[in-house]
Amino acid sequence: MRPPVILLLLGFLLPASQTFAFKANDFKTCAQSGFCRRGRALSARALAAGSSWRSPYSIDPSSILLAPDQASFTASVKSALYPEVNFGLDVRLHDDGVVRVRMDEMGGLRKRYDEAANWALVAPPLISRNIVWKVGKGAVHAVYGEKKNIEVVIEFDLLRVTLFRDGVEQVVLNDRGLLHMEHFRTKDDTKPVTIQDGEGEAQTALHLNDRAWFEGEEQDAWWEETWSSWTDSKPKGPESLSLDVTFPNHRHVYGIPQHATNLSLPTTTGPDAGYTDPYRLYNSDVFEYLVSSPVSLYGSVPLMHAHNAKSTVAIFNAVGSDTWIDIGRTESGTETHWISESGILDVFLLPGPTPTDVFAQYTRLTGTAPLPAHWALGYHQCRWNYVSSDDVRSVQRRLDDENMPVDAFWLDIEYSEGHKYFIWDKKNFPDPVEMIKDVEALERRMVIIVDPHLKRDSSYPVYKAASDLESLVKPKSGTGEYEGWCWPGSSSWVDFFNPKSWDMWVSFFKTKSVDGQWSWTESTENVGIWNDMNEPSVFNGPEISMPRDNVHYGGWEHRDVHNINGMLFTNQTYNALMHRSDPPKRPFVLTRSFYAGSQRFGAMWTGDNVGTWEHMAVGIKMVLANGLGGFGFGGSDVGGFFGNPDPEMLVRWYGVGAFSPFFRAHAHIDAKRREPYLLDEPYKSMLRDVLRLRYAMLPVWYTAFREMSATGIPILRPQYVVFPEDSEGFAIDDQFYVGSSGLLVKPVTTRGATSASVYLSDPQIYYDYFTFHTYPAPSKKVARERTVTVPAALHQIPLLIRGGSIVPTRERPRRSSALMRNDPFTLRVALSSDGSATGEVYLDDGEGYGYTNGEFVWRQFGAETKKGGWGKGEELKIWSKDRAMQGGSNDVVVYNPANAFAESVSGVRVERVIVVGVGSRPTVVNVNGDSTVEWEWQGGTGYGATTESKAGVLVIRDPAVGIASDWQIAVVF
């Protein structure tokens, strides 16, 4: 949120430009992290040794044990460095072709943390029953896939795992011999061997270390590590894990969110490295982060995609500890090196071969995002802080007076008495329930912050309950309660790894007390929750976080679970909201910190950004990267959390927000008020138009969310995801497609722009969404890819419709999304280069779970142009039919087109059909055989246009067809 206390105390001494800025000294570099130093030094030794370097790890062939069903095998692994230490390997193949490789120390002094995957995975993966492992002289291998073109090979010597497709290497583990699992040991075990050289008094002691070629000469930060003013006791000694992952034929890699950087990740090693430090995954409270940096931010998803024009693959490394990742480029591919502080090797190889396949494989592991409450897709108004009940009511009234739609008002930490979350500051919020109900009366919602730190005050019922249950994080001694410093001052943190905390947390959110227990009775069943500071942020802790030797449930150190910690907080908050009402309503939870699987529990935002053009631009890249990591419900704070954006920047940032899955304006407590109604004209009207555009397109967004919840494919789709064979689009990260709608947007993120260059990958006609200007398909004599110039004055958003798309909207301005539930639809039919189009819309009640029992409407729209219809000309047919009845795409047990929800919207009609790309005036337009429908043709070029011009447009007014009904429109020329 804002800077730590020490900066607040010093703030009055510093100029404003320096008070709030990224403080590099608050966070370690690799050179300041013992285990990262060791990992990078290992890589340097391997590079220096060249072809003579050999991995010390190998499989004992005699130990191989095939499972009876042939789905997996286990084997013993030995290290030539420590032959007395035992490691175990487990390899298994899932039903969908994913390969899981696990290695752990067996029978060691201690147990390595092996539960990261348990938290990340939505369920135990289904193991294939159709795999036949073959054990050869030097390797175990299996061939599988529908075409029998995928092969996984595990070599005994040097322990190398390779995934092939069509005989081509896709991903290789330990190809460079950097695998190293530091085993548990005692300090006595680490003393070098001493021998005497010479005789008598001339003797000298020689210390031999025959492992130095691999591990180095020094015991670098093995048993204790001091950084800045903190000392990490490291009671377990060295336990890091090093693993190299190579993509021999893929030069673009993506993912490992969260970082402020390009979508196609820049390198960190080699002569032309983009960064000098590795990418870091260590959830951190970083305010005013740099806009191009490998520095760790608030969330960590250890998932990396690799892509070329022929295939996409990915790896998911299920580790929850601090992790650094080097990326280097080879002539044909990419080399990566993953260095983690603790944990077992637990890597999933996702074979693809397309981006869509990878999304499906990953979300089968970690789960898809749930279908959110419909109101959560609207506009959210927030700042730190709305200072009173009257302030909230005033903001709502002003937005209504200016006819600006909004769905949610947010309260930051100052609503609470002494920052004791759940407890209202009655001086400024004397009537919290009445205030919330005033907002809900207009079918809006309130979202209220609840942070994970609890004020250490025995009169605070939330803290007292957690303390009495002994469910708070412990200090390194393993007893008592860890005490740190956060917003309330002296604080403790709930240990959500402790199952005892779960029911306790559920009970807090009940709006009625149960059995006399304290609960949040001054709330309602509709309130959304904002989980902030859950990295966790500790103002007086190392790297503004919790000491790594703190102790969690089960005796695990915080170092083992740091990156998972924030997800469990959000998980239990989501669970609490699910149990708050009966029947349950869809929870809304926003989190800052996240891990693999967090997409199952709500939305995320990109943290404490700054009101600059650069932060606006990098926010788009970060949201795209989070989508690749499975977390598609995200956005950046509109306007920037820090700073005071000028009107031009604010208008452009609302344009970015309107095309983000999560659309929230937010501001720092020291920032000027910047609610959209405060701007002067013409900027105020521009913001109103942007907000109305978002609301008009809510059917598009909700339909895209349904697809993401079913398939895992993100809502915002980068160029390479939509056109995976076009190498020119692999690095593009400033434009994207919205779901499967055919909408292509390039938000403007530079000052003074009047036009934008938009890259088009396919030989298809595109239309300007607002003006219907055509960007025709290129002729066969020129390259199919091209860049077009699109108008982008301040009041314009570069937004194109791909030919062949049908886009459903609701055009009537309302004050909130719920008030649109019975509004009619407009369909924009953008004809393709062959005169066809498709689209869909998904609807349900937007609040409950009836859709899981078939209570929804899912329609498919189509258009087709045929020669020789009535008369001598063409005939264009446009239709609607039930999408859910087509099979293979619906996960409900029972579906009836006449379900209760469908009946409830049977009166909702299509009020207008706009057909774009109609080059001649029709002679007849009929709807279901009735030719009395009103229509208008606006002259222009047709879908076969060869030069840029205005498209001809046919507008069919009130065709009197239902959105939930089958119908057909025939247009004869």
Side-chain angles (χ1 to χ4, degrees):
M1 208 190 261
R2 61 178 172 181
V5 171
I6 188 170
L7 293 183
L8 293 176
L9 296 176
L10 294 175
F12 70 95
L13 300 174
L14 300 173
S17 61
Q18 297 179 29
T19 304
F20 302 124
F22 173 68
K23 299 291 184 181
N25 291 338
D26 285 343
F27 305 97
K28 291 181 180 181
T29 63
C30 179
Q32 295 169 322
S33 168
F35 78 91
C36 187
R37 282 196 306 270
R38 299 197 299 270
R40 265 198 158 181
L42 171 64
S43 178
R45 288 190 291 273
L47 182 64
S51 59
S52 66
W53 183 264
R54 289 177 59 84
S55 171
Y57 293 90
S58 61
I59 293 175
D60 176 3
S62 66
S63 70
I64 294 173
L65 180 63
L66 301 179
D69 55 10
Q70 298 286 291
S72 66
F73 78 87
T74 60
S76 295
V77 174
K78 287 291 186 179
S79 167
L81 300 177
Y82 298 95
E84 73 280 6
V85 178
N86 297 310
F87 300 94
L89 182 72
D90 183 316
V91 181
R92 54 190 60 201
L93 282 160
H94 299 173
D95 260 357
D96 60 356
V98 170
V99 182
R100 185 178 188 179
V101 181
R102 300 175 84 240
M103 189 175 106
D104 195 0
E105 182 178 352
M106 311 300 289
L109 293 177
R110 300 177 182 87
K111 182 176 172 58
R112 301 180 73 93
Y113 185 72
D114 61 356
E115 298 177 4
N118 294 346
W119 298 112
L121 301 187
V122 67
L126 296 176
I127 306 303
S128 173
R129 305 298 176 185
N130 302 310
I131 298 300
V132 177
W133 290 101
K134 294 184 178 180
V135 181
K137 188 173 182 180
V140 179
H141 71 101
V143 176
Y144 64 98
E146 289 185 6
K147 300 179 181 179
K148 301 298 181 184
N149 62 337
I150 308 174
E151 183 180 21
V152 59
V153 178
I154 300 93
E155 298 173 57
F156 300 157
D157 196 19
L158 312 183
L159 183 53
R160 181 165 55 188
V161 180
T162 307
L163 182 71
F164 295 87
R165 179 179 291 276
D166 297 320
V168 178
E169 290 179 321
Q170 302 294 298
V171 57
V172 188
L173 306 184
N174 201 33
D175 190 41
R176 294 188 287 151
L178 303 184
L179 170 65
H180 188 36
M181 181 175 283
E182 294 180 330
H183 68 280
F184 290 122
R185 65 200 83 191
T186 67
K187 286 187 178 182
D188 290 338
D189 293 337
T190 63
K191 295 178 180 178
V193 175
T194 301
I195 64 172
Q196 300 297 322
D197 184 31
E199 297 181 0
E201 294 182 0
Q203 283 189 347
T204 58
L206 298 180
H207 301 285
L208 300 182
N209 183 356
D210 58 358
R211 301 163 182 143
W213 69 271
F214 192 82
E215 292 188 316
E217 292 284 357
E218 303 295 327
Q219 294 181 11
D220 182 9
W222 278 20
W223 299 101
E224 186 177 86
E225 183 170 0
T226 298
W227 174 76
S228 188
S229 61
W230 293 278
T231 297
D232 179 2
S233 64
K234 294 195 172 182
K236 295 183 291 183
E239 55 174 319
S240 72
L241 173 66
S242 163
L243 175 68
D244 60 283
V245 180
T246 302
F247 305 98
N249 297 289
H250 298 78
R251 286 180 55 81
H252 287 269
V253 292
Y254 313 88
I256 57 170
Q258 187 182 47
H259 299 96
T261 188
N262 297 340
L263 186 68
S264 178
L265 295 169
T267 56
T268 62
T269 62
D272 300 316
Y275 304 120
T276 56
D277 240 27
Y279 294 93
R280 191 183 186 192
L281 295 177
Y282 186 73
N283 295 353
S284 303
D285 181 359
V286 185
F287 56 91
E288 288 204 338
Y289 48 83
L290 301 174
V291 296
S292 179
S293 171
V295 169
S296 56
L297 294 178
Y298 311 94
S300 298
V301 179
L303 170 75
M304 181 178 285
H305 296 231
H307 181 73
N308 64 26
K310 295 182 179 179
S311 70
T312 309
V313 294
I315 68 117
F316 169 45
N317 184 9
V319 63
S321 63
D322 189 3
T323 298
W324 303 77
I325 306 162
D326 265 322
I327 297 176
R329 204 79 70 213
T330 66
E331 184 175 339
S332 62
T334 304
E335 295 176 338
T336 71
H337 183 199
W338 300 62
I339 311 164
S340 300
E341 184 171 18
S342 67
I344 67 168
L345 189 155
D346 195 356
V347 174
F348 298 79
L349 310 182
L350 284 56
T354 69
T356 299
D357 292 324
V358 167
F359 295 132
Q361 289 155 4
Y362 177 68
T363 53
R364 272 194 290 269
L365 291 171
T366 64
T368 59
L371 196 57
H374 189 273
W375 65 266
L377 309 189
Y379 171 61
H380 298 248
Q381 185 65 58
C382 182
R383 80 173 272 113
W384 178 27
N385 203 89
Y386 291 119
V387 299
S388 67
S389 300
D390 289 342
D391 194 8
V392 172
R393 293 183 175 105
S394 174
V395 173
Q396 175 165 251
R397 183 176 64 253
R398 290 291 302 277
L399 284 164
D400 286 343
D401 289 345
E402 296 291 347
N403 295 312
M404 293 177 168
V406 63
D407 263 73
F409 297 99
W410 291 55
L411 289 179
D412 212 318
I413 59 176
E414 309 304 335
Y415 81 90
S416 59
E417 179 187 273
H419 300 142
K420 293 181 288 187
Y421 307 108
F422 302 99
I423 309 299
W424 292 92
D425 172 6
K426 288 301 183 70
K427 179 179 178 181
N428 295 308
F429 296 89
D431 55 346
V433 175
E434 290 77 7
M435 173 195 66
I436 295 169
K437 289 183 176 179
D438 285 347
V439 170
E440 293 177 358
L442 294 173
E443 301 208 49
R444 294 172 174 142
R445 299 291 185 266
M446 294 223 48
V447 182
I448 301 173
I449 198 166
V450 175
D451 283 350
H453 46 265
L454 304 182
K455 184 177 179 66
R456 290 175 57 83
D457 180 343
S458 59
S459 68
Y460 176 28
V462 178
Y463 165 74
K464 187 175 187 306
S467 181
D468 290 347
L469 270 181
E470 298 183 348
S471 61
L472 296 168
V473 177
K474 296 175 172 57
K476 64 182 180 180
S477 65
T479 60
E481 299 169 0
Y482 168 68
E483 180 180 0
W485 201 263
C486 209
W487 296 120
S490 176
S491 304
S492 289
W493 279 256
V494 177
D495 183 5
F496 286 101
F497 292 91
N498 188 338
K500 290 194 298 185
S501 70
W502 302 346
D503 287 342
M504 175 195 74
W505 200 247
V506 167
S507 72
F508 291 158
F509 287 86
K510 297 289 187 180
T511 58
K512 295 180 181 179
S513 177
V514 178
D515 297 330
Q517 292 182 324
W518 185 90
S519 65
W520 201 12
T521 57
E522 292 186 304
S523 180
T524 75
E525 293 180 350
N526 297 312
V527 168
I529 299 297
W530 176 12
N531 284 164
D532 195 4
M533 311 294 283
N534 50 329
E535 292 76 26
S537 176
V538 182
F539 291 162
N540 64 335
E543 301 193 89
I544 317 179
S545 195
M546 195 170 281
R548 295 171 189 241
D549 48 9
N550 275 7
V551 179
H552 289 267
Y553 177 78
W556 298 113
E557 288 187 291
H558 184 72
R559 80 181 75 250
D560 300 316
V561 300
H562 175 86
N563 288 342
I564 307 170
N565 181 82
M567 178 176 75
L568 266 64
F569 179 43
T570 310
N571 181 343
Q572 294 309 319
T573 299
Y574 189 91
N575 185 46
L577 300 194
M578 281 278 288
H579 287 84
R580 185 173 56 181
S581 59
D582 186 15
K585 298 177 181 179
R586 298 181 214 173
F588 175 79
V589 180
L590 181 77
T591 184
R592 189 170 72 176
S593 180
F594 53 88
Y595 181 66
S598 285
Q599 67 270 12
R600 305 194 299 268
F601 311 119
M604 57 73 58
W605 92 107
T606 62
D608 295 348
N609 59 352
V610 188
T612 67
W613 293 95
E614 294 80 8
H615 268 267
M616 187 194 311
V618 80
I620 295 171
K621 302 175 185 183
M622 293 169 71
V623 173
L624 290 175
N626 275 293
L628 301 185
F631 211 159
F633 194 2
S636 295
D637 282 339
V638 169
F641 180 57
F642 293 100
N644 296 297
D646 61 35
E648 180 187 0
M649 183 186 296
L650 204 56
V651 169
R652 291 301 195 191
W653 216 320
Y654 269 80
V656 172
F659 285 92
S660 300
F662 176 58
F663 182 14
R664 181 181 77 160
H666 187 34
H668 187 271
I669 196 169
D670 293 331
K672 296 177 182 178
R673 296 288 285 252
R674 49 171 126 110
E675 288 75 16
Y677 52 74
L678 293 175
L679 273 69
D680 294 330
E681 294 292 359
Y683 308 108
K684 179 165 64 175
S685 291
M686 292 178 185
L687 294 190
R688 181 186 298 111
D689 290 344
V690 172
L691 290 170
R692 288 182 173 180
L693 177 64
R694 170 64 172 217
Y695 278 73
M697 289 188 167
L698 284 178
V700 172
W701 289 101
Y702 199 59
T703 300
F705 267 91
R706 187 222 65 84
E707 185 176 7
M708 181 175 69
S709 72
T711 67
I713 189 168
I715 293 166
L716 303 190
R717 300 177 188 174
Q719 202 75 17
Y720 92 88
V721 170
V722 181
F723 300 102
E725 298 179 0
D726 178 17
S727 61
E728 294 299 316
F730 292 174
I732 291 176
D733 53 14
D734 58 356
Q735 64 181 55
F736 50 84
Y737 289 81
V738 179
S740 297
S741 67
L743 293 173
L744 171 60
V745 62
K746 183 170 184 176
V748 176
T749 59
T750 55
R751 184 181 296 280
T754 58
S755 63
S757 295
V758 179
Y759 178 78
L760 305 177
S761 286
D762 55 331
Q764 183 58 265
I765 188 170
Y766 282 74
Y767 306 90
D768 187 288
Y769 180 85
F770 304 101
T771 67
F772 305 130
H773 183 86
T774 63
Y775 300 92
S779 68
K780 295 181 180 179
K781 297 181 180 180
V782 299
R784 60 184 236 168
E785 307 87 1
R786 76 267 195 208
T787 299
V788 299
T789 300
V790 179
L794 187 55
H795 67 286
Q796 296 172 309
I797 297 174
L799 178 62
L800 304 181
I801 312 179
R802 183 173 183 251
S805 307
I806 300 179
V807 179
T809 59
R810 282 174 149 163
E811 304 285 341
R812 298 191 179 185
R814 301 290 185 188
R815 291 188 288 185
S816 68
S817 65
L819 299 176
M820 302 170 70
R821 66 170 62 91
N822 293 316
D823 282 355
F825 282 80
T826 293
L827 300 181
R828 280 175 174 78
V829 182
L831 295 177
S832 69
S833 299
D834 65 2
S836 64
T838 61
E840 62 181 53
V841 68
Y842 173 84
L843 306 168
D844 60 31
D845 72 358
E847 182 174 89
Y849 290 90
Y851 72 91
T852 63
N853 295 315
E855 302 287 326
F856 60 85
V857 168
W858 187 12
R859 305 297 301 182
Q860 182 175 42
F861 308 116
E864 185 179 15
T865 302
K866 291 185 177 180
K867 297 284 186 180
W870 295 343
K872 298 181 180 179
E874 294 180 332
E875 180 181 18
L876 168 65
K877 288 185 177 181
I878 306 167
W879 65 86
S880 170
K881 59 184 178 181
D882 198 303
R883 177 70 177 84
M885 294 296 290
Q886 295 176 37
S889 55
N890 183 27
D891 59 358
V892 298
V893 176
V894 178
Y895 175 74
N896 181 355
N899 63 78
F901 174 77
E903 291 296 321
S904 73
V905 296
S906 60
V908 176
R909 71 186 198 282
V910 176
E911 69 173 348
R912 192 168 48 155
V913 178
I914 302 171
V915 189
V916 186
V918 178
S920 59
R921 181 182 180 85
T923 58
V924 177
V925 177
N926 72 67
V927 179
N928 294 331
D930 182 355
S931 60
T932 61
V933 66
E934 182 182 349
W935 57 272
E936 175 190 5
W937 179 68
Q938 301 165 6
T941 57
Y943 55 79
T946 57
T947 59
E948 289 191 24
S949 56
K950 187 178 186 302
V953 178
L954 172 65
V955 181
I956 304 170
R957 295 189 176 89
D958 197 10
V961 294
I963 192 64
S965 304
D966 289 355
W967 47 261
Q968 179 174 283
I969 297 173
V971 181
V972 182
F973 301 91

